[in-house]
């Protein structure tokens, strides 16, 4: 992989080296995400229907902090994110809070989710106002 920031590089390299090789903590989170599939709706019948192993690895890499971020992970999408976020997101949060090397990335994802959620709320409000204006004009 290409260069990287100076100093403190070990923390980022340990959490995720950017070259497709997960660090120890990320691999541990992937295992937890694989195991939790049995607790998800429908997981008792077929865990791969919840999300494949590739999806668990992508979730562990991306560390989604919101339903929207979860929906962008491999094998998830909007429907599964809506169905599984209440189980998956608290698991990720607890894991990252317990692992120093994951905390910084997690905090960044939480802030990104906050910004995305605010933008989505503003869009929804603007759409609702536009609809109301159309109804009022009719």
């Amino acid at each position: 992989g290409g260069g990287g920031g100076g100093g403190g590089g070990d923390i980022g390299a340990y959490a995720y080296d950017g070259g497709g090789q997960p660090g120890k903590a990320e691999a541990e989170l992937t295992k937890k995400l694989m195991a939790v599939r049995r607790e998800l709706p429908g997981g008792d019948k077929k865990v791969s229907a919840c999300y494949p192993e590739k999806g668990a690895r992508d979730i562990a890499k991306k560390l989604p902090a919101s339903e929207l971020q979860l929906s962008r992970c491999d094998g998830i999408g909007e429907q599964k994110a809506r169905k599984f976020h209440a189980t998956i997101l608290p698991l990720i949060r607890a894991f990252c809070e317990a692992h120093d090397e994951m905390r910084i990335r997690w905090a960044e994802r939480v802030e990104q989710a906050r910004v995305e959620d605010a933008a989505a709320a503003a869009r929804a409000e603007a759409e609702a106002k536009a609809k109301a204006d159309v109804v009022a004009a009719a």
Side-chain angles (χ1 to χ4, degrees), residues 9-96:
D10 289 347
I11 291 175
Y14 182 71
Y16 185 68
D17 73 4
Q21 294 299 315
K24 290 179 186 175
E26 201 173 290
E28 188 181 331
L29 179 56
T30 298
K31 285 181 189 165
K32 288 184 178 294
L33 289 162
M34 296 289 290
V36 80
R37 295 184 303 178
R38 297 192 189 293
E39 299 168 25
L40 297 171
D44 54 333
K45 294 171 184 67
K46 188 174 181 191
V47 292
S48 62
C50 297
Y51 49 84
E53 182 175 350
K54 179 181 168 188
R57 283 195 306 267
D58 198 46
I59 293 168
K61 182 176 91 176
K62 291 180 178 169
L63 300 178
S66 69
E67 187 178 325
L68 177 63
Q69 289 176 348
L70 180 61
S71 73
R72 295 179 186 142
C73 294
D74 277 346
I76 301 292
E78 283 183 36
Q79 210 171 14
K80 288 181 181 179
R82 196 173 310 116
K83 219 166 147 181
F84 304 149
H85 78 277
T87 301
I88 294 173
L89 298 181
L91 181 148
I92 295 168
R93 182 183 65 239
F95 184 87
C96 290

